Amino acid sequence: MLALKIENLGKKYILTHKSEDSLYNELALMYSRLLRRMRHPFAERSKPKNSEDFWALRNLDLNIEQGERVGIIGHNGAGKSTLLKILSRITDPSEGRISIKGRVSSLLEVGTGFHPDLSGRENIFMNAAILGMRTREIKQNFDAIVDFAGVEKFLDTPVKRYSSGMYVRLAFAIAAHLNSEILIIDEVLAVGDMEFQKKCMGKMDEISHKDGRTILFVSHNMGAILQLCNRAVCLDKGKMLMDTFNVPEAVEKYMDLSKLHNAVSEWKNPGGKFENDYFTPLRFGIYNKNGGVNNAPAKPNDDLYVEIEGIVKKTEDGLGVGYSIYTQEGMLMYRTFQADQTDTENEIKILDGHVILRSRLPLSVMNTGEKRLDLSVIINNINWLIQPEKRDTPSVSFTLEPYLNSSSPYRTMKKPGPMISNSLWEVIES
């Protein structure tokens, strides 16, 4: 039985570029457009000056059967989140049509539908109602939601005091316990700890097999895709590259794409993006010991550094500036902020104004292959200013070559896992 049918789906945005005209000319142009709209309210709107069409999705056809667990993969900007927003009825398609059989519950952003000043208890009722759950259903599932989220002690605490992990635990618990036929999950599980991620994966597997619910799952973590999904759809630049039940084949395609799209060693802020009251990034990249941008494959004994340059406006609320590093498969290796400095005698203190932070990459303990770094900025370990694994997150990457200083072929092979052992061994008895 079909749960979801997508036909010739497309989503177009109009990108407006910064004009070199004076402010007077810009205002005059706006006034002219307003007059034209008032005189001819039903006339077809013309495209703004200095603009172009951008198709986030185009010509997408997809049929999904009830009970399938579909992983939607692709690099940042491939169209994954746009597709899920259309399916969740957050945005309308520009062309094509979708047919959905049954109720949809979606978790696209951490804490979507939560009111920060309301308690966890109040937000359970409000968020569940937004997702379409009736009051009787909420009461029936209330204890199970609280138990799954593990927030019993904080039920009557305003959620603005919750950590990002508590936010996502509660949000996932509500979505997972809604009696919907289709569950849509977009990236947010990356925020939770490993134990909770494992718990979420188990829950999604359970509701798919036991209740026959359909799951659409977007993640950069290919291990999670391989574990959960029995089908994979690979997108690139808004178009479908692959739709297959051979999930490992799709993952391999994604990893090949990552080599093409992520070969960037330095990011610079275009046009003042990510403006906020605390920290605005200016530059983020991987550099050698001489300060040059690292564009070449790295060796385990190289000296490589991560540098983050920006403007600090406010630090009293626990500003954390750092990065998250991932394997080629999308597995989080570690996340670090400037406050993690282990040398107490040289404790890092950020002052207001211009700052450049530097951290050495521990290459000698990393396994070989592609590595991706996402800029990560947070307040009080709760509120993200720049969240890793999001579509517009500043990202850089590098390739780590295998050890070549040994005659043993085993030393040159890529071994499983994100880390590599440099342990010294000796024979005690033979």
Side-chain angles (χ1 to χ4, degrees), residues 211-238:
D211 303 333
R213 291 165 67 178
T214 306
I215 295 175
L216 302 184
F217 182 49
V218 165
S219 179
H220 281 117
N221 187 334
M222 295 300 104
I225 293 289
L226 289 167
Q227 178 185 340
L228 175 70
C229 302
N230 62 356
R231 181 179 176 184
V233 172
C234 185
L235 301 178
D236 184 48
K237 297 179 181 178

Side-chain angles (χ1 to χ4, degrees), residues 208-359:
S208 175
H209 284 100
K210 181 180 177 181
D211 303 333
R213 291 165 67 178
T214 306
I215 295 175
L216 302 184
F217 182 49
V218 165
S219 179
H220 281 117
N221 187 334
M222 295 300 104
I225 293 289
L226 289 167
Q227 178 185 340
L228 175 70
C229 302
N230 62 356
R231 181 179 176 184
V233 172
C234 185
L235 301 178
D236 184 48
K237 297 179 181 178
K239 295 184 178 180
M240 185 189 296
L241 288 186
M242 180 178 290
D243 175 15
T244 178
F245 290 94
N246 187 338
V247 180
E249 182 182 357
V251 168
E252 185 176 347
K253 184 73 173 179
Y254 165 81
M255 290 164 62
D256 288 340
L257 282 174
S258 297
K259 294 178 183 179
L260 297 175
H261 290 286
N262 292 331
V264 177
S265 299
E266 184 180 54
W267 172 90
K268 291 186 177 179
N269 197 349
K273 287 186 67 177
F274 304 104
E275 281 287 342
N276 59 76
D277 295 333
Y278 296 90
F279 179 82
T280 301
L282 301 176
R283 176 175 59 88
F284 171 54
I286 304 169
Y287 306 87
N288 57 38
K289 61 182 178 181
N290 298 319
V293 177
N294 177 73
N295 291 313
K299 297 179 176 59
N301 57 352
D302 284 349
D303 291 325
L304 287 189
Y305 300 85
V306 179
E307 286 188 13
I308 303 170
E309 180 179 2
I311 303 297
V312 177
K313 302 175 183 177
K314 205 163 49 166
T315 59
E316 62 267 26
D317 287 325
L319 176 65
V321 179
Y323 65 91
S324 306
I325 184 166
Y326 299 85
T327 66
Q328 183 178 1
E329 295 80 13
M331 179 188 298
L332 176 65
M333 295 180 67
Y334 65 85
R335 179 173 295 144
T336 181
F337 298 100
Q338 92 288 345
D340 297 334
Q341 172 64 276
T342 53
D343 185 353
T344 55
E345 294 182 2
N346 295 295
E347 181 181 354
I348 296 291
K349 293 183 179 179
I350 300 182
L351 302 178
D352 293 357
H354 183 264
V355 65
I356 299 178
L357 296 168
R358 192 184 199 197
S359 174

Side-chain angles (χ1 to χ4, degrees), residues 119 146 167 204 214 238 245 285 314 322 355 360 407:
S119 67
V146 173
Y167 253 93
M204 288 191 287
T214 306
F245 290 94
K314 205 163 49 166
V355 65
R360 182 172 179 172
S407 59

Side-chain angles (χ1 to χ4, degrees), residues 15 17 38 74 116 161 165 191 210 240 381 390:
L15 301 182
H17 303 292
M38 292 173 65
R161 298 196 176 96
V191 179
K210 181 180 177 181
M240 185 189 296
N381 202 32
K390 288 296 180 181

Side-chain angles (χ1 to χ4, degrees), residues 16-162:
T16 304
H17 303 292
K18 187 177 180 180
S19 173
E20 298 298 327
D21 292 342
S22 66
L23 177 60
Y24 175 82
N25 290 338
E26 286 292 316
L27 291 174
L29 182 61
M30 291 172 60
Y31 180 67
S32 173
R33 288 175 182 161
L34 179 60
L35 285 179
R36 188 164 60 249
R37 177 57 53 190
M38 292 173 65
R39 291 169 181 165
H40 308 285
F42 301 106
E44 184 177 349
R45 297 194 181 191
S46 60
K47 190 188 301 183
K49 183 182 178 183
N50 298 325
S51 65
E52 62 175 311
D53 292 343
F54 171 73
W55 286 92
L57 283 175
R58 197 79 193 267
N59 301 327
L60 189 66
D61 293 290
L62 188 64
N63 292 333
I64 297 176
E65 297 286 340
Q66 181 180 335
E68 288 186 342
R69 305 180 302 282
V70 183
I72 301 176
I73 59 179
H75 68 92
N76 290 342
K80 308 184 300 296
S81 295
T82 301
L83 172 60
L84 297 196
K85 285 178 181 177
I86 292 174
L87 298 179
S88 302
R89 298 185 177 92
I90 294 174
T91 187
D92 293 325
S94 302
E95 63 182 20
R97 61 187 297 245
I98 58 172
S99 301
I100 299 175
K101 183 176 178 60
R103 189 161 53 170
V104 176
S105 61
S106 58
L107 188 54
L108 306 185
E109 298 285 346
V110 176
T112 300
F114 283 2
H115 191 293
D117 293 319
L118 297 182
S119 67
R121 184 189 306 274
E122 292 165 328
N123 270 290
I124 289 175
F125 278 89
M126 183 181 72
N127 191 243
I130 290 173
L131 289 174
M133 196 182 293
R134 299 178 181 85
T135 303
R136 178 172 52 82
E137 290 180 86
I138 301 172
K139 291 180 178 178
Q140 288 176 347
N141 289 285
F142 184 84
D143 290 341
I145 292 171
V146 173
D147 180 65
F148 190 91
V151 295
E152 184 176 1
K153 293 182 180 179
F154 308 97
L155 264 183
D156 297 307
T157 301
V159 297
K160 65 183 179 183
R161 298 196 176 96
Y162 283 19

Side-chain angles (χ1 to χ4, degrees), residues 107 148 168-169 172-173 176 183 185 189 192-207 215 217 227-228:
L107 188 54
F148 190 91
V168 76
R169 290 204 302 270
F172 179 86
L183 177 62
I185 303 290
L189 298 186
D193 55 47
M194 292 300 294
E195 182 180 351
F196 184 72
Q197 289 182 35
K198 184 177 179 181
K199 192 175 181 180
C200 290
M201 296 294 288
K203 182 65 176 177
M204 288 191 287
D205 192 61
E206 174 193 332
I207 61 178
I215 295 175
F217 182 49
Q227 178 185 340
L228 175 70

